[in-house]
Amino acid sequence: MDHSYRAALNGGKNGSRGGRQRPGFATSYPQPEPDPLPQQAEDANSRIFGFVDDLFFLAKIQETARKLNVKVEFCKSEKELSDHIKENGEEKPSLIIFDLNNANIKPLTLIPKLKSKLKKTSIIGFLSHVQGDLKQKAHEVGCDMVLPRSAFSQ
C-alpha cells in the first residue's frame, strides 16, 4: 500500500504532526545551570565528602563540583574520613554522599555512626531506582535524603 498521500496531507512532513502540540507542553525541558560559588583557595578545606566507588560516577561528581567551585573529597573508609575531619580541625563536613550499593564500606552500618558524631552534617544516599527496600532502610538509619542514581546525577 502506498502511503505517499500522507505527505500531501501533512504538508510534506512524512507523518510528523507539526503544529499539533498540546498547549503548555514543551518538547524539551531545559535544565537550569546553577551559579558557581566564589572561587575557593587551593588549600581550602573540603566540607563535602563522598563514599563512591564507581569511577565513572565519581568523575561526574567531580566535574559538577569543579563547575560549581566546590571541593569534594572521596574516602574509601571511615578512618580516612576521620583523618580528613581531624585535619580540618573544628570544621565538620557539611555534606556526606553515599553510594548505598558500595559494599566496601557497608553504608547501612556507617551512616548511624556518622550521624551520631556529626549531628549537623547532611547525608545523601543514592541507589538504583528499583531498590525500594534499601531506600527505606537508608532513611531508617539516618540518611537525610535518598535519591535514585539518575535523579542524583541531574
Side-chain angles (χ1 to χ4, degrees), residues 3 14 17 24-25 33 35 48-49 59-60 62-63 65 81 100 103 107 129 131-132 136 144 150:
H3 295 285
N14 283 338
R17 294 182 178 187
F25 288 91
E33 286 292 322
D35 295 330
I48 301 174
F49 294 92
K60 190 181 266 193
Q62 284 178 326
E63 180 61 22
L81 177 65
L100 295 172
H129 71 281
Q131 295 177 303
Q136 184 64 35
D144 296 309
S150 58

Side-chain angles (χ1 to χ4, degrees), residues 65-130:
R66 186 190 62 76
K67 286 179 181 177
L68 296 174
N69 294 329
V70 176
K71 189 174 178 183
V72 178
E73 291 186 42
F74 293 93
C75 305
K76 296 190 185 309
S77 68
E78 181 184 5
K79 183 184 180 324
E80 195 175 331
L81 177 65
S82 298
D83 292 345
H84 283 296
I85 292 172
K86 287 177 186 171
E87 288 174 13
N88 291 348
E90 287 298 311
E91 195 170 345
K92 304 283 187 206
S94 58
L95 176 66
I96 299 176
I97 302 167
F98 275 94
D99 179 354
L100 295 172
N101 291 308
N102 187 344
N104 297 329
I105 57 159
K106 298 182 178 99
L108 295 181
T109 58
L110 183 56
I111 291 171
K113 290 179 192 175
L114 293 175
K115 203 64 174 168
S116 65
K117 282 192 246 179
L118 309 168
K119 300 214 183 300
K120 293 184 179 180
T121 300
S122 296
I123 296 178
I124 295 178
F126 62 88
L127 42 68
S128 172
H129 71 281
V130 296

